Amino acid sequence: MLIFIKLILGHLIGDFILQPIKWVIHKESHRVTSKYLYFHVLLHFAIYMLLLWDLSLWKIALVISIGHFFIDLLKLYTNSFFKNKSIPFFIDQGLHIALIYCCVFYANLYEHTLTLFQNLDWSLITAIVFVTYPAAIIMGKILEGMSNQIETDHKSLPNAGKYIGIIERLFVLIFIVIGRWEVIGLLIAAKSVFRFNDLKERNNRKLTEYILIGTLVSFGLAILAGLLYIS
């Protein structure tokens, strides 16, 4: 596990801290012919070896570095197929982590993976999944009749409200799990402060009531999930 953590740290340093924007742009433009792609891979290998500080582990560092090259290459050549550029980014990062995991635990990959899955807290995972998209859909059904009565002349980011709700419910669930109920009150207060000026300027009672109901339903669903988990 220590080796796994060190390699993950090396990946974070090489991919995010020591990779200039200039390299990223050049790689996207020149792909396999980009010199920075190869510099990037060599830098990863050097970081892995430095963090591991054990020459006997050079094969793991080499395999991960070579795998990093092909994963990056796959991303560079498939990036144009996605309208949402965040999708290939997260796929790319997931593959890097999966590669490191497989290389570190290659000797007993099946046993370690089986043990990992057996030790997962499935109740918590269920609660986390519930407060994301399922809760958002439930809220949409609850507020469906009210949303038709709200008239707004302002523009907002696409799906911003949905993502804000998901994030706030995840925070609420985390605070309940760790037993910090008082922070939930601060979260509600912070959201009210951010919303206050916008609602005050519009002087729209229906919009105010709609947002208040939506907030209470969102927090209520998250609290319900949290209570069911800890009970």
Side-chain angles (χ1 to χ4, degrees):
M1 183 57 69
L2 179 60
I3 294 175
F4 177 73
I5 294 173
K6 285 183 176 181
L7 291 172
I8 291 294
L9 174 60
H11 170 74
L12 295 176
I13 294 173
D15 242 23
F16 296 98
I17 299 177
L18 297 183
Q19 181 174 208
I21 298 298
K22 175 184 176 181
W23 289 20
V24 177
I25 296 174
H26 195 275
K27 288 193 301 179
E28 290 177 348
S29 300
H30 296 79
R31 296 177 178 175
V32 72
T33 60
S34 173
K35 61 181 179 181
Y36 294 115
L37 174 61
Y38 300 93
F39 291 165
H40 180 63
V41 173
L42 289 174
L43 178 63
H44 268 271
F45 179 75
I47 294 172
Y48 291 147
M49 291 304 300
L50 184 63
L51 291 176
L52 292 173
W53 204 254
D54 186 347
L55 290 177
S56 65
L57 297 175
W58 69 271
K59 291 182 180 179
I60 293 180
L62 181 62
V63 170
I64 293 174
S65 299
I66 294 174
H68 193 105
F69 169 80
F70 286 107
I71 292 173
D72 275 11
L73 207 60
L74 178 65
K75 179 190 174 186
L76 292 173
Y77 279 95
T78 59
N79 202 32
S80 58
F81 295 110
F82 296 91
K83 292 182 179 179
N84 188 342
K85 299 305 178 183
S86 62
I87 294 177
F89 168 79
F90 287 112
I91 293 175
D92 173 77
Q93 293 302 315
L95 289 174
H96 286 312
I97 295 173
L99 174 64
I100 293 173
Y101 178 84
C102 291
C103 288
V104 172
F105 300 106
Y106 68 94
N108 56 346
L109 180 61
Y110 175 77
E111 292 80 2
H112 188 274
T113 305
L114 183 62
T115 302
L116 184 65
F117 272 92
Q118 289 175 340
N119 292 334
L120 286 176
D121 190 338
W122 293 103
S123 297
L124 180 59
I125 292 174
T126 303
I128 291 173
V129 171
F130 172 75
V131 299
T132 56
Y133 285 95
I137 294 173
I138 292 172
M139 283 189 59
K141 295 297 181 180
I142 293 174
L143 302 175
E144 189 174 13
M146 303 178 191
S147 60
N148 298 328
Q149 304 178 38
I150 304 300
E151 296 180 2
T152 58
D153 56 356
H154 67 285
K155 295 181 179 180
S156 61
L157 296 173
N159 297 318
K162 178 174 69 175
Y163 293 128
I164 291 172
I166 290 174
I167 294 170
E168 74 182 16
R169 288 191 295 274
L170 286 171
F171 276 128
V172 171
L173 180 62
I174 291 171
F175 295 142
I176 292 175
V177 171
I178 64 177
R180 300 305 299 270
W181 286 84
E182 66 277 9
V183 186
I184 299 175
L186 293 176
L187 186 61
I188 296 174
K191 184 176 181 180
S192 301
V193 169
F194 282 116
R195 283 288 192 179
F196 178 75
N197 287 332
D198 186 39
L199 295 173
K200 183 180 178 182
E201 291 176 2
R202 300 189 182 283
N203 193 26
N204 189 331
R205 185 181 181 86
K206 286 185 177 180
L207 178 61
T208 303
E209 292 173 342
Y210 176 79
I211 292 175
L212 179 59
I213 294 172
T215 299
L216 293 175
V217 171
S218 179
F219 276 80
L221 290 173
I223 291 173
L224 176 62
L227 290 173
L228 288 174
Y229 169 72
I230 63 177
S231 61

